Amino acid sequence: MTGGSRGIGRGIVKKLVEEGYDVAFSYSTKKEEAEKLCEELQKENVNIWCQQSDMSIPENGEIFFEQAVKVLGGLDLLVNNAGITVFGSILELEAGEIQALVNLDLLNYLILSSKAARYMKEHNIKGNIINITSSRAERAYPEDCVYGGIKAAINRASQSMALDLAPYGIRVNCVAPGAVCIRTPEEIKREHLTDLEGFWEGLGSRIPLERNGRPEDIGNAVAFLASEKASYITGEVLRVDGGLILPGMPEKLEEGQTCWGGRK
């Protein structure tokens, strides 16, 4: 699994361990958090391993894959989760920002999916590839033309992967989170993320199920799709957003804003 040390990734790792999986995960910068998670989960009598890796460099993903397979002694599930979120109007985005998103959120997914698919086919493993995308792949928002577009591309690419791999019993699906809160109010204050102060509280109350998502919600979805209970599901996107995008609700309204992009 890529990107497992915190947030949604952490929720997925913990759920997979709970389900009895041996897990190898990558992390980008939070070494202390990653090692602490490994130490915590080792107590569950599973093989848990983590490795720092900058997945925006294509060859790093391949190196991590080979190391993970060696450490775990095999592979029957790949979860592509590592990524960055960069929002910006098409009027403002720079080439470097766009390329960084493409490398990490798209190219890395495709490279690792290809590696996993070939390994499973060669070893006659009827495994699973699960790509973490976003509800933004389905519903457009201002300032997410690149991020949302990439997530939509992964959804669509996963459908073709599912067709390619179905003859080998390998299933490919996506989990599309909505608004998942990964920081407590205390963490937001400690990290001086002033633009997020009060944001999650205000958003959660307006979601149809009246709360924000939690990392464990995404972990539960991944575990389901990887299980025999979902053995007849492939090429699908499981949206986990509490109904967020059903009414086309904006995440926030700026002063004077009357709709997504309109102003008085």
Side-chain angles (χ1 to χ4, degrees), residues 174-191:
C174 297
V175 173
V180 178
C181 183
I182 64 172
R183 291 182 177 87
T184 65
E186 292 72 26
E187 288 173 326
I188 288 172
K189 288 183 179 179
R190 186 166 61 248
E191 296 177 30

Side-chain angles (χ1 to χ4, degrees), residues 197-213:
E197 290 183 5
F199 170 76
W200 292 106
E201 294 83 350
L203 176 58
S205 64
R206 294 186 288 123
I207 292 172
L209 288 184
E210 298 184 350
R211 71 169 175 87
N212 295 300

Side-chain angles (χ1 to χ4, degrees), residues 60-72:
N60 284 358
E62 298 187 66
I63 293 170
F64 169 76
F65 180 88
E66 298 295 341
Q67 291 176 324
V69 169
K70 184 176 181 180
V71 168
L72 297 181

